[in-house]
Amino acid sequence: MSGNSFGKIFKLISFGESHGAAIGGVVEGFPAGYVVDIEDIQNELNKRKPGQSKYVSSRNEDDKVEILSGIFEGKSLGTPIGFLVRNKDSQPKDYDHLKDIFRPSHADYTYEIKYGHRDHRGGGRSSARETVSRVVAGALANIILRKQGITLYAYVHSIGHIESQSNYRELDMNSINDSVIYCPDKNAEKKMLDLIEETKQEGDSLGGEVVCVIKNCMPGLGEPVFDKMEAELAKAMLSINAVKGFEIGSGFQSTKMKGSEHNDIFINEGDEFRTKTNYSGGIQGGITNGMDIYFKVAFKPIATIMKDQLTADKEGNSILLEGKGRHDVTVVPRAVSIVKAMSAMVVADMLLRNSNSKF
Amino acid sequence: MSGNSFGKIFKLISFGESHGAAIGGVVEGFPAGYVVDIEDIQNELNKRKPGQSKYVSSRNEDDKVEILSGIFEGKSLGTPIGFLVRNKDSQPKDYDHLKDIFRPSHADYTYEIKYGHRDHRGGGRSSARETVSRVVAGALANIILRKQGITLYAYVHSIGHIESQSNYRELDMNSINDSVIYCPDKNAEKKMLDLIEETKQEGDSLGGEVVCVIKNCMPGLGEPVFDKMEAELAKAMLSINAVKGFEIGSGFQSTKMKGSEHNDIFINEGDEFRTKTNYSGGIQGGITNGMDIYFKVAFKPIATIMKDQLTADKEGNSILLEGKGRHDVTVVPRAVSIVKAMSAMVVADMLLRNSNSKF
Amino acid sequence: MSGNSFGKIFKLISFGESHGAAIGGVVEGFPAGYVVDIEDIQNELNKRKPGQSKYVSSRNEDDKVEILSGIFEGKSLGTPIGFLVRNKDSQPKDYDHLKDIFRPSHADYTYEIKYGHRDHRGGGRSSARETVSRVVAGALANIILRKQGITLYAYVHSIGHIESQSNYRELDMNSINDSVIYCPDKNAEKKMLDLIEETKQEGDSLGGEVVCVIKNCMPGLGEPVFDKMEAELAKAMLSINAVKGFEIGSGFQSTKMKGSEHNDIFINEGDEFRTKTNYSGGIQGGITNGMDIYFKVAFKPIATIMKDQLTADKEGNSILLEGKGRHDVTVVPRAVSIVKAMSAMVVADMLLRNSNSKF
Amino acid sequence: MSGNSFGKIFKLISFGESHGAAIGGVVEGFPAGYVVDIEDIQNELNKRKPGQSKYVSSRNEDDKVEILSGIFEGKSLGTPIGFLVRNKDSQPKDYDHLKDIFRPSHADYTYEIKYGHRDHRGGGRSSARETVSRVVAGALANIILRKQGITLYAYVHSIGHIESQSNYRELDMNSINDSVIYCPDKNAEKKMLDLIEETKQEGDSLGGEVVCVIKNCMPGLGEPVFDKMEAELAKAMLSINAVKGFEIGSGFQSTKMKGSEHNDIFINEGDEFRTKTNYSGGIQGGITNGMDIYFKVAFKPIATIMKDQLTADKEGNSILLEGKGRHDVTVVPRAVSIVKAMSAMVVADMLLRNSNSKF
């Protein structure tokens, strides 16, 4: 049983190989009657697009989304929203030399062994190009969230060893888009840009961390005992290529705190329950409590580097893999829009799911 | 749409409140023809059981599992396996004073707001007692894994600020059960026990980390692009009460490494593909590659402490919550069996799901 | 992937073999805050129970339902409702002679070939005793329906060649329970009872038809294009043992009508849309239109008869199967409560699912 | 929760409105390594296509399928197969007069009430044009079936009151495609053609029955207790527009038989178990037994007729709906390919699901 669907009520079914005809998907469960502006979706897609600055890769794709169904006279019909983005700039021959090679820390070997037959061009289905579908679905999900007043922010917290020294409350969430690498901490941003430039010269790659903050989310979302809000967010994040870690609220740091320090005390302010601190990250017992939801996601350094590497081919021969082609030094800035898209899908799904808990 | 099912083909549906009649569940999708020894399941349950040593809580439960269906003449029928564990030691009156109180960092408030009506006794459905079902299902999953030669280990890596200085390869996985707190690092264990004792005196609580290692797992398991092996493991872990973080392989540390350091080079040894290093944690592109799968899980300190705390009641009044009752200082040692159970369920499900990828 | 779950949001997971420890299940997705009277559930179960009259089988079971979770202080918690009914009157030795025999038109052979290992006692999982779980879940579903003002009726329309000459509109739905065989047509009932008695003497068995009518269902329920209301009802009915056919509204008769006769003309009465005729059976395009939903279900004659029959054993030998034991002449009267239960589950699920179509 | 997905492992997600940009879908769960000839798929689509003869409607569509993913170098990748068929011949203005009218026995009213906003052009999502996706997915499913040696036949058994007097065993299944209306009974065919012609002159429409036969299906397929083979087939059939009834094997006729007549006696021939008769229709206890699977499907007369009809508009006014446009007299011949497609999907899904029952 394959795994190309995400969500239970607000659901994305995704398809497409990096160098096939198109990347696309179907969003099932989008309710009827919402105004859907395709330009909004296109804008989100543009943020994810390669070739936006010297800091990100230079593959040239138009990435023009086409909506095939589900929208009529500018409003959603409650029927499935089919969409696609054509793959234009595919140069399949560039990949001939990789047909029988298992690149280090790529999915070549595992796809070969799992499926027997694979599209080796640009990683095929395992390529991060697949996230095009996620961004489209995330933009649709966000329409539902906006109507509820929920706002999502995501930004680059660290690149390599350069890390913002501020937590999200000390940063201006509205300045994220002012940064070419989506880092609202000006000090950190400068050092990050230098590190990216320097690493590019070395032909090497970098990882980093993305922080996501969900503000103004009503209490009550999340479906224990298995589909807790943080569990679905964790799955959503770890389903993104290159992600190696996830922490919600106090995260790994919590393991070093005592209960008396970590407990979030309830207070009642203006007829609303709040907690004095928010180590819980806005979720208790798997259900949102109305406080900010925040979490951090770890991305490993990109596996494709411009340095030569030894590896094996299909026959088991040791092979020297040359570093060449066009590639990002780091995915972290572009990953910001994927993190947001996946988070939006999780929250939209939980909104719809919660409507069944009291009927 | 509620969230009390876990898995797609090997599936657990869980039910039960902490102080209701029973905790139980149904395992659907367990294949026919396996020898099922109920004593094995009971043994796993005993490891999770409170009251085993002075280091863990003293609630007295027999926790005797009863299998209601699906097993005939000692072998699985391929039909659903219903089971239950009666709740014996419930003293509902102990909980009367908590009926209208929202305890700090518990799920009282969020359950109240989500469902309107809740069982306040011992946390009801939000209690960690719910994990009884997970352990039973995990023990069943493990029968499938054993037949495939797959072995799961989990152990306590840290308690509070006391952390093992060794990685799992330097420790003897077979000595885990020799430790009363399931920590195979003798040096660390001693310090952990001291810290637990000391914190108990303070009436406070501790968090910590559990490491899980899955050995001898065949390559090919995991269902991209959303149901990647690490994504399902992350969800499984974050669905456990008190978990705040998850990292696979190199985890958060990877964000500080360069691609040239982090890449796992393929080599062919004796007709098997292996990688020189294993920063990937046994998973590439969401699919197992035959190397060890290892991950770390962060548990926050227990919310229930023996110190008095301020909090709010249902009406919004500020209330002093007295610290009393019987409670663990830390869940981490007992959580080891839950981590194992959830991991076993994920791998069993992926084994069954993978049988469809090439049919 | 096994098939012991029914429904998407209001969901029953069923377990249990005829002569195992218990039949039971879990109802997931029952919303919070409903008053649940266990006596109501027990009453439904009593209607299905064997041994009620000379017309139905004489197996002696208490069939006492025990609710294990999900209800607290008489009201639903929104958490899973686990339940079981113990199997008391099992006399396993009665079945020893059937261990290796494939009874005609039973599931012995197919279970043997599918699972390799089977519980031969009383049909094991394939026994109609499994429907105990359906009745419990149906009674729970009915609580939701009642709150919405929806009423379900089901009755015996025919037994063997004795068929009611009236359609449901000409019969008094409230007199169904006055009939020992749930047939509100007094003329037909008498003949049916005679036929049952006569057939009992012959040691043979009978089939028949059940009609179900759902009144006062709001328009808008049903989820095209695949989960149309009639599609889910058809699946629900054909999932019941011994069912061979299903027709909605005009059914097979419609194939002989012309469009101009069959079309249901819309009229507006007192600000409500109705149709003049109701050949559609209350469903158009897979969605309810507010008119009565009615359908007919065909049950084959029971496979177990008191006559000797030739059949084959596991080794392929021809075997004379003696007709003996305690068995119904026909399942049709008892099936009435199963038809109602399954219908209630379908409508409850659709009610909850529909709440997502406009959010 | 919407209902545009069909199947559990072999799964179709369908999208598209009749006069939107395209009809399409995603087939998830198609295993890797199968040769997929797109011409085969196109051929199936051509059979469903309108405008093939004077007996079916004259809408002019190319209905050219484009495969967007999942196939590489002519073989399946095990990744989702996205596809679409553009809607070319849409003349939206033709539908302006229907914008606010609820046509008799169409889905206009129910879509309006369920979704609030609907695409009125040609029925939008409720149009039978949606079945384009089913035919494509069915053709893909059939590739899997062929590899297992399973063959599906479907043919027209009756149109209006003209009914074939033969059962399927007496007809030549291989001559079905020789008939312009897919009726292999030459006598009946002639009368049917006459009736169609005559009814066309009247401006009226006709229903009829399709019989489907699945030959050479291995025993063991079907997932009791809810996802029985006949239950899934029933759902599949009732999910098709205009279907009002379904019967498997002896169907409604069984209700008039006695057990001693109806029981299928097992015999062992050449080391294979068979039954002497096959009233069971190849399924016992919800699981195939290796005999022919056969069932009959009832289609009502098309709701669109060339006669004027009274109906209501959105405001509740009585309106005269003129009979005009281009429409089939009956869907039954074209429905043959839909019945086959849905059946193929059910069997493919059950094949894959069954692989988990003994692992």
Side-chain angles (χ1 to χ4, degrees):
Chain A
M1 188 193 196
S2 65
N4 295 283
S5 302
F6 188 83
K8 297 255 167 106
I9 294 185
F10 183 100
K11 186 156 48 173
L12 166 66
I13 300 90
S14 155
F15 67 81
E17 279 73 49
S18 179
H19 289 73
I23 298 288
V26 185
V27 169
E28 242 218 296
F30 193 91
Y34 283 81
V35 173
V36 176
D37 185 342
I38 293 167
E39 280 316 295
D40 280 359
I41 303 171
Q42 188 61 53
N43 285 343
E44 277 308 306
L45 216 43
N46 293 347
K47 283 183 199 155
R48 177 217 162 269
K49 208 167 69 171
Q52 300 169 93
S53 74
K54 66 172 180 172
Y55 300 104
V56 288
S57 89
S58 49
R59 177 172 171 176
N60 188 10
E61 294 275 3
D62 258 2
D63 280 2
K64 202 85 190 165
V65 66
E66 184 188 4
I67 303 290
L68 298 165
S69 65
I71 315 287
F72 176 60
E73 298 177 343
K75 272 165 53 185
S76 63
L77 287 165
T79 62
I81 302 174
F83 63 89
L84 63 78
V85 173
R86 299 253 168 211
N87 294 323
K88 285 193 181 149
D89 184 25
S90 66
Q91 305 173 353
K93 275 184 192 154
D94 290 4
Y95 296 97
D96 277 0
H97 67 292
L98 294 175
K99 203 170 157 57
D100 297 320
I101 288 182
F102 299 146
R103 290 169 299 160
S105 289
H106 273 279
D108 304 333
Y109 169 68
T110 53
Y111 268 67
E112 182 81 31
I113 210 142
K114 183 177 187 72
Y115 300 109
H117 176 58
R118 74 186 164 95
D119 183 349
H120 65 281
R121 300 167 306 167
R125 181 77 180 138
S126 75
S127 164
R129 183 151 175 76
E130 156 262 315
T131 55
V132 159
S133 299
R134 304 182 184 221
V135 172
V136 173
L140 286 165
N142 212 23
I143 295 173
I144 300 172
L145 268 49
R146 273 202 303 266
K147 193 179 159 192
Q148 301 291 330
I150 303 169
T151 319
L152 265 96
Y153 301 95
Y155 65 89
V156 172
H157 174 77
S158 73
I159 299 272
H161 61 278
I162 308 295
E163 192 172 346
S164 168
Q165 297 307 306
S166 308
N167 75 45
Y168 80 87
R169 289 175 205 84
E170 301 159 338
L171 296 169
D172 177 8
M173 292 294 99
N174 293 314
S175 74
I176 295 171
N177 286 333
D178 301 342
S179 163
V180 67
I181 52 167
Y182 305 108
C183 174
D185 178 331
K186 291 295 156 203
N187 283 337
E189 185 199 23
K190 210 200 146 322
K191 292 180 201 158
M192 288 173 185
L193 289 173
D194 290 347
L195 178 62
I196 292 172
E197 190 55 39
E198 186 187 305
T199 311
K200 192 175 193 175
Q201 302 306 325
E202 295 169 16
D204 218 327
S205 68
L206 293 164
E209 292 160 309
V210 171
V211 166
C212 183
V213 185
I214 307 174
K215 284 180 167 288
N216 209 24
C217 182
M218 66 283 292
L221 307 192
E223 298 295 334
V225 295
F226 296 115
D227 300 351
K228 288 175 170 148
M229 178 60 97
E230 65 271 47
E232 294 295 346
L233 287 170
K235 176 177 167 175
M237 295 306 125
L238 269 292
S239 80
I240 303 172
N241 279 359
V243 169
K244 305 300 285 181
F246 169 86
E247 55 177 23
I248 181 88
S250 53
F252 279 90
Q253 196 50 36
S254 74
T255 66
K256 299 189 165 40
M257 297 169 75
K258 294 205 169 156
S260 58
E261 299 167 82
H262 190 271
N263 280 354
D264 294 320
I265 303 304
F266 279 100
I267 46 174
N268 188 279
E269 278 183 356
D271 272 348
E272 268 198 11
F273 286 93
R274 300 185 52 78
T275 58
K276 267 187 156 166
T277 48
N278 182 19
Y279 291 115
S280 298
I283 304 172
Q284 287 168 333
I287 301 168
T288 57
N289 66 359
M291 303 293 291
D292 288 352
I293 301 164
Y294 63 96
F295 54 88
K296 198 189 281 175
V297 188
F299 288 84
K300 68 167 189 174
I302 285 181
T304 305
I305 55 177
M306 296 304 99
K307 293 181 164 179
D308 295 353
Q309 298 174 89
L310 275 175
T311 193
D313 71 8
K314 223 166 158 172
E315 310 300 319
N317 303 312
S318 186
I319 288 279
L320 186 77
L321 179 69
E322 277 180 81
K324 62 173 183 184
R326 41 181 193 184
H327 295 283
D328 292 341
V329 169
T330 177
V331 291
V332 186
R334 287 176 59 197
V336 163
S337 62
I338 321 297
V339 167
K340 274 175 70 178
M342 293 306 296
S343 305
M345 276 193 271
V346 168
V347 179
D349 195 34
M350 285 302 177
L351 267 167
L352 291 163
R353 292 179 68 173
N354 186 48
S355 70
N356 304 130
S357 61
K358 286 182 286 190
F359 177 79
Chain B
M1 188 193 196
S2 66
N4 296 283
S5 301
F6 188 82
K8 297 254 168 107
I9 294 186
F10 183 100
K11 186 156 46 174
L12 166 65
I13 300 90
S14 156
F15 67 81
E17 279 72 50
S18 180
H19 289 74
I23 299 287
V26 185
V27 170
E28 241 218 298
F30 194 91
Y34 283 81
V35 172
V36 176
D37 185 342
I38 293 166
E39 280 316 296
D40 280 359
I41 302 171
Q42 188 61 54
N43 286 341
E44 278 308 307
L45 216 44
N46 294 346
K47 281 182 200 156
R48 176 216 164 271
K49 207 167 70 170
Q52 301 169 92
S53 72
K54 66 172 179 171
Y55 300 105
V56 288
S57 88
S58 49
R59 176 169 170 178
N60 188 10
E61 295 276 3
D62 260 2
D63 280 1
K64 202 84 190 166
V65 66
E66 184 188 6
I67 303 290
L68 299 164
S69 64
I71 316 286
F72 177 60
E73 297 178 343
K75 272 166 53 185
S76 62
L77 287 165
T79 62
I81 302 174
F83 63 88
L84 62 79
V85 172
R86 299 253 168 213
N87 294 323
K88 285 194 181 148
D89 184 25
S90 66
Q91 304 173 352
K93 276 184 192 155
D94 290 4
Y95 296 97
D96 277 359
H97 66 294
L98 293 175
K99 203 170 159 54
D100 297 319
I101 288 182
F102 299 146
R103 291 169 298 160
S105 290
H106 274 279
D108 303 333
Y109 169 67
T110 53
Y111 268 66
E112 181 81 31
I113 209 140
K114 183 177 186 73
Y115 301 110
H117 176 59
R118 74 187 164 93
D119 183 349
H120 65 281
R121 301 167 304 167
R125 181 77 180 137
S126 75
S127 165
R129 182 150 175 78
E130 156 263 314
T131 55
V132 159
S133 298
R134 304 181 185 223
V135 172
V136 174
L140 287 165
N142 211 24
I143 295 173
I144 299 172
L145 268 49
R146 274 202 302 266
K147 193 177 160 193
Q148 301 291 331
I150 303 169
T151 319
L152 266 96
Y153 301 95
Y155 66 89
V156 171
H157 173 76
S158 73
I159 298 273
H161 61 278
I162 308 295
E163 191 172 347
S164 167
Q165 297 307 306
S166 308
N167 75 45
Y168 80 88
R169 288 175 206 84
E170 301 159 337
L171 296 170
D172 178 7
M173 292 295 98
N174 293 314
S175 74
I176 296 170
N177 286 333
D178 300 344
S179 162
V180 66
I181 51 167
Y182 305 109
C183 174
D185 178 332
K186 290 294 154 205
N187 282 337
E189 185 200 22
K190 209 200 148 323
K191 293 180 200 158
M192 288 173 185
L193 290 173
D194 290 347
L195 178 62
I196 292 172
E197 190 56 39
E198 186 186 307
T199 310
K200 192 175 194 174
Q201 302 307 325
E202 295 168 17
D204 218 328
S205 68
L206 292 164
E209 291 160 310
V210 171
V211 166
C212 183
V213 185
I214 307 173
K215 283 178 167 289
N216 209 24
C217 181
M218 65 284 291
L221 307 192
E223 299 295 333
V225 296
F226 296 115
D227 300 351
K228 288 175 170 148
M229 179 59 98
E230 66 269 48
E232 294 295 347
L233 287 169
K235 175 176 168 175
M237 295 307 125
L238 269 292
S239 80
I240 303 171
N241 279 359
V243 169
K244 304 300 286 180
F246 170 86
E247 56 177 22
I248 180 89
S250 53
F252 279 90
Q253 196 50 36
S254 74
T255 65
K256 300 190 165 41
M257 296 170 76
K258 294 205 170 156
S260 58
E261 299 167 82
H262 190 271
N263 280 354
D264 294 321
I265 303 303
F266 280 100
I267 47 174
N268 189 280
E269 278 183 357
D271 272 349
E272 268 198 11
F273 286 93
R274 300 184 53 78
T275 58
K276 267 186 155 167
T277 49
N278 182 19
Y279 291 115
S280 299
I283 305 172
Q284 287 168 334
I287 301 167
T288 57
N289 66 1
M291 304 293 291
D292 288 353
I293 301 163
Y294 63 97
F295 54 88
K296 198 189 283 175
V297 187
F299 289 84
K300 68 167 189 174
I302 285 180
T304 306
I305 55 177
M306 296 304 99
K307 294 182 164 179
D308 295 353
Q309 299 174 89
L310 276 175
T311 192
D313 71 8
K314 224 167 158 173
E315 311 299 319
N317 304 313
S318 186
I319 288 279
L320 186 77
L321 179 69
E322 278 180 79
K324 63 173 182 184
R326 43 185 190 183
H327 295 282
D328 293 341
V329 169
T330 177
V331 291
V332 185
R334 287 176 59 198
V336 162
S337 63
I338 320 297
V339 166
K340 274 176 70 178
M342 293 306 296
S343 305
M345 276 193 270
V346 168
V347 179
D349 195 33
M350 285 301 178
L351 267 167
L352 291 164
R353 292 179 67 173
N354 185 48
S355 70
N356 304 129
S357 61
K358 285 182 287 190
F359 177 78
Chain C
M1 189 192 193
S2 63
N4 295 284
S5 302
F6 188 83
K8 297 254 166 107
I9 294 186
F10 183 99
K11 186 156 45 173
L12 166 65
I13 299 91
S14 155
F15 66 81
E17 278 74 49
S18 179
H19 289 73
I23 299 287
V26 185
V27 169
E28 242 218 296
F30 193 91
Y34 283 81
V35 173
V36 176
D37 184 342
I38 293 166
E39 280 316 296
D40 280 358
I41 302 171
Q42 187 62 51
N43 285 342
E44 277 310 305
L45 216 44
N46 293 347
K47 283 183 201 157
R48 168 212 172 276
K49 209 168 69 171
Q52 300 168 94
S53 75
K54 65 173 179 170
Y55 300 104
V56 289
S57 88
S58 49
R59 177 172 171 176
N60 188 10
E61 293 278 2
D62 259 1
D63 280 1
K64 201 85 192 163
V65 66
E66 185 188 5
I67 303 289
L68 299 165
S69 64
I71 315 288
F72 176 61
E73 297 176 344
K75 273 165 53 185
S76 63
L77 287 165
T79 62
I81 302 175
F83 63 89
L84 63 79
V85 172
R86 298 254 167 211
N87 295 324
K88 284 195 181 147
D89 185 24
S90 65
Q91 304 172 353
K93 275 183 194 156
D94 290 3
Y95 296 98
D96 276 0
H97 66 294
L98 294 174
K99 202 172 158 54
D100 297 320
I101 288 183
F102 299 146
R103 290 169 297 161
S105 290
H106 273 279
D108 303 333
Y109 169 67
T110 53
Y111 268 66
E112 181 81 30
I113 209 141
K114 183 176 187 74
Y115 301 109
H117 176 57
R118 74 185 165 96
D119 182 349
H120 63 282
R121 300 168 306 167
R125 182 76 181 138
S126 75
S127 165
R129 183 152 175 76
E130 156 264 313
T131 55
V132 159
S133 299
R134 304 182 185 221
V135 172
V136 174
L140 287 165
N142 211 23
I143 296 173
I144 299 172
L145 268 50
R146 273 202 301 267
K147 194 178 159 192
Q148 302 291 330
I150 302 168
T151 318
L152 266 97
Y153 301 95
Y155 66 90
V156 172
H157 173 76
S158 74
I159 298 273
H161 61 278
I162 308 295
E163 192 172 346
S164 168
Q165 297 307 308
S166 309
N167 76 41
Y168 79 88
R169 288 176 205 83
E170 301 159 338
L171 297 169
D172 178 7
M173 293 295 99
N174 294 314
S175 74
I176 296 170
N177 286 332
D178 300 342
S179 162
V180 66
I181 52 167
Y182 305 108
C183 174
D185 178 331
K186 291 292 155 207
N187 282 337
E189 186 199 22
K190 209 201 147 321
K191 294 180 200 156
M192 287 172 187
L193 289 173
D194 290 347
L195 178 62
I196 292 172
E197 191 55 39
E198 185 187 306
T199 311
K200 193 175 191 173
Q201 303 306 325
E202 296 169 16
D204 218 328
S205 68
L206 293 163
E209 292 160 309
V210 172
V211 166
C212 182
V213 186
I214 307 173
K215 285 179 166 290
N216 209 22
C217 181
M218 64 285 290
L221 307 194
E223 299 295 334
V225 297
F226 295 115
D227 300 352
K228 289 176 170 146
M229 179 61 97
E230 67 269 48
E232 294 296 346
L233 286 170
K235 176 177 167 175
M237 295 307 124
L238 269 292
S239 81
I240 302 172
N241 279 0
V243 170
K244 304 301 285 182
F246 170 86
E247 56 178 21
I248 180 90
S250 53
F252 278 91
Q253 196 50 37
S254 74
T255 66
K256 299 190 166 39
M257 297 170 76
K258 293 207 170 155
S260 57
E261 299 168 82
H262 191 271
N263 279 355
D264 295 320
I265 303 303
F266 280 101
I267 46 173
N268 190 280
E269 279 183 356
D271 272 351
E272 266 197 13
F273 287 93
R274 300 184 53 77
T275 59
K276 267 185 155 167
T277 50
N278 182 20
Y279 292 114
S280 298
I283 305 171
Q284 288 168 333
I287 301 169
T288 57
N289 67 359
M291 302 293 291
D292 287 354
I293 301 164
Y294 64 97
F295 54 88
K296 198 189 281 174
V297 187
F299 289 84
K300 67 166 191 177
I302 284 181
T304 305
I305 55 177
M306 296 303 100
K307 294 182 165 179
D308 294 353
Q309 300 173 89
L310 275 175
T311 193
D313 72 6
K314 221 167 159 172
E315 311 299 320
N317 304 313
S318 186
I319 289 278
L320 186 78
L321 181 67
E322 278 180 79
K324 61 173 186 185
R326 41 183 191 183
H327 295 282
D328 292 342
V329 170
T330 176
V331 290
V332 185
R334 287 175 59 197
V336 163
S337 63
I338 321 296
V339 167
K340 273 175 70 177
M342 293 307 295
S343 305
M345 275 193 272
V346 168
V347 179
D349 196 31
M350 285 302 178
L351 268 167
L352 291 163
R353 291 179 68 174
N354 185 48
S355 71
N356 304 129
S357 61
K358 286 182 286 191
F359 177 77
Chain D
M1 188 192 195
S2 63
N4 295 284
S5 302
F6 188 83
K8 297 254 167 107
I9 294 186
F10 182 100
K11 185 157 46 174
L12 166 65
I13 300 92
S14 155
F15 66 80
E17 278 73 48
S18 180
H19 288 74
I23 299 287
V26 185
V27 170
E28 243 219 296
F30 193 91
Y34 283 80
V35 172
V36 176
D37 185 341
I38 293 166
E39 280 316 295
D40 280 358
I41 302 171
Q42 187 62 51
N43 285 341
E44 277 309 306
L45 217 44
N46 293 346
K47 283 182 201 156
R48 173 214 167 274
K49 208 168 69 172
Q52 299 169 96
S53 74
K54 65 172 180 170
Y55 301 104
V56 289
S57 88
S58 50
R59 177 171 170 177
N60 188 11
E61 292 276 3
D62 259 2
D63 280 2
K64 200 86 192 164
V65 65
E66 185 189 5
I67 303 289
L68 299 164
S69 65
I71 315 287
F72 176 61
E73 297 177 343
K75 273 166 53 185
S76 63
L77 287 165
T79 61
I81 302 175
F83 63 89
L84 62 80
V85 173
R86 298 253 167 211
N87 295 324
K88 283 192 182 152
D89 184 24
S90 66
Q91 305 172 350
K93 276 183 194 155
D94 290 3
Y95 296 97
D96 276 0
H97 66 294
L98 294 175
K99 203 172 158 53
D100 297 321
I101 288 183
F102 299 146
R103 290 170 297 161
S105 289
H106 273 279
D108 303 333
Y109 169 67
T110 53
Y111 269 65
E112 181 80 30
I113 209 139
K114 184 176 186 73
Y115 300 110
H117 176 58
R118 74 185 165 97
D119 182 350
H120 64 281
R121 300 167 305 166
R125 181 78 182 137
S126 76
S127 165
R129 183 151 175 75
E130 156 264 313
T131 56
V132 159
S133 299
R134 302 182 186 222
V135 172
V136 173
L140 286 165
N142 212 23
I143 295 173
I144 299 172
L145 268 49
R146 274 203 299 268
K147 193 178 160 193
Q148 301 291 330
I150 302 169
T151 318
L152 266 97
Y153 302 95
Y155 66 90
V156 172
H157 174 76
S158 74
I159 299 272
H161 60 278
I162 308 295
E163 192 172 346
S164 168
Q165 296 308 308
S166 309
N167 76 43
Y168 80 88
R169 288 175 205 84
E170 301 159 337
L171 297 170
D172 178 7
M173 292 295 99
N174 293 314
S175 74
I176 295 170
N177 286 332
D178 300 342
S179 163
V180 67
I181 52 167
Y182 305 109
C183 174
D185 179 331
K186 290 294 154 206
N187 282 338
E189 186 200 22
K190 210 200 145 322
K191 293 180 200 157
M192 288 173 186
L193 289 173
D194 290 347
L195 178 62
I196 292 172
E197 190 55 38
E198 185 187 305
T199 311
K200 192 176 193 171
Q201 301 308 325
E202 297 168 16
D204 218 327
S205 68
L206 293 164
E209 292 161 309
V210 171
V211 166
C212 183
V213 185
I214 307 174
K215 284 180 166 289
N216 209 22
C217 181
M218 65 285 289
L221 307 193
E223 298 295 335
V225 296
F226 296 115
D227 300 351
K228 288 174 171 150
M229 179 60 98
E230 66 270 48
E232 294 296 346
L233 287 169
K235 175 177 168 176
M237 294 308 124
L238 269 293
S239 81
I240 302 172
N241 279 0
V243 170
K244 303 301 285 181
F246 169 86
E247 56 178 21
I248 180 91
S250 53
F252 279 91
Q253 197 49 37
S254 73
T255 66
K256 300 190 165 39
M257 297 170 76
K258 293 208 171 155
S260 57
E261 299 168 83
H262 190 270
N263 279 354
D264 295 321
I265 303 304
F266 280 101
I267 46 173
N268 190 279
E269 279 183 355
D271 272 351
E272 266 197 13
F273 287 93
R274 301 185 52 79
T275 58
K276 267 185 155 167
T277 50
N278 182 21
Y279 292 114
S280 298
I283 305 172
Q284 288 168 333
I287 301 169
T288 58
N289 67 0
M291 302 294 290
D292 287 353
I293 301 164
Y294 64 97
F295 55 88
K296 197 190 283 174
V297 187
F299 289 83
K300 67 167 190 175
I302 285 181
T304 306
I305 55 177
M306 294 305 99
K307 294 182 165 178
D308 294 353
Q309 299 174 88
L310 276 175
T311 193
D313 72 6
K314 223 167 157 172
E315 310 299 320
N317 304 312
S318 186
I319 288 278
L320 186 78
L321 180 68
E322 279 180 78
K324 62 175 185 182
R326 42 184 192 182
H327 295 283
D328 292 342
V329 169
T330 176
V331 291
V332 185
R334 287 175 59 198
V336 163
S337 63
I338 321 296
V339 166
K340 273 175 69 177
M342 293 307 294
S343 305
M345 275 193 273
V346 168
V347 179
D349 195 32
M350 285 302 178
L351 268 167
L352 291 163
R353 292 179 69 173
N354 186 47
S355 71
N356 304 128
S357 61
K358 285 182 286 192
F359 177 78

